[in-house]
Amino acid sequence: AQRVTQPEKLLSVFKGAPVELKCNYSYSGSPELFWYVQYSRQRLQLLLRHISRESIKGFTADLNKGETSFHLKKPFAQEEDSAMYYCALSGSTFYNTDKLIFGTGTRLQVFP
Amino acid sequence: DAGVIQSPRHEVTEMGQEVTLRCKPISGHDYLFWYRQTMMRGLELLIYFNNNVPIDDSGMPEDRFSAKMPNASFSTLKIQPSEPRDSAVYFCASNTRWAASGGVGNEQFFGPGTRLTVL
């Protein structure tokens, strides 16, 4: 069965500290992984996807198929990074749209 | 485009009342998704449509929940009768596989959500 696990409900760090939001998945095929972010009073929006191999707002995430993980990392956290982060999984190929399975989310708090 | 539009933004009702949530997807998008967000369970997919046809409703919690999409620009999620445990934020999202219509692979575009409180 498809499943996404985010073990931490809350992660608190100070500004300038490194951040790693954990995500593990369960899927028998070839998954597509995403990170979505929801800032306070804003819509849930895509942050990055593994297939793009891009860095967005200083965040990166590498798909590790051996460990079935897709952890989100940033070397130096900023206060504006405070938000709710969701890891999501799709079993479809890139341009076939399908449902996303979301994790339960991790709230990141960055203190000044 | 104003993006995905949801109404109402907030709804407070009493247990046993019927609740109807509304969604207008982005023009040209042929997939529409309904999600429920709670502290305990995070973001759960309730149902999704393709070309106005329900494809997967396995996430609909029980018969009290129903969803319709009468045309490409409108969908409703109805709860009848409502219960306090239905209190949550309900999101609608849309996307399309067609790049010419603004699709970006599997990226979903979310509405602002409807915060439902059932007393």
Side-chain angles (χ1 to χ4, degrees), chain A residues 36 43 86 96-99, chain B residues 4 31 37 56 95 106:
Chain A
Y36 277 75
R43 302 180 184 213
Y86 287 97
N96 283 334
T97 192
D98 197 2
K99 64 181 182 182
Chain B
V4 175
Y31 284 80
Q37 182 188 45
D56 184 348
N95 72 353
N106 280 332

Side-chain angles (χ1 to χ4, degrees), chain B residues 69-96:
Chain B
M69 192 163 186
N71 58 62
S73 59
F74 184 66
S75 177
T76 59
L77 178 67
K78 185 176 294 186
I79 308 173
Q80 167 62 18
S82 57
E83 296 183 3
R85 60 191 167 122
D86 301 331
S87 298
V89 181
Y90 291 81
F91 288 101
C92 177
S94 71
N95 72 353
T96 178

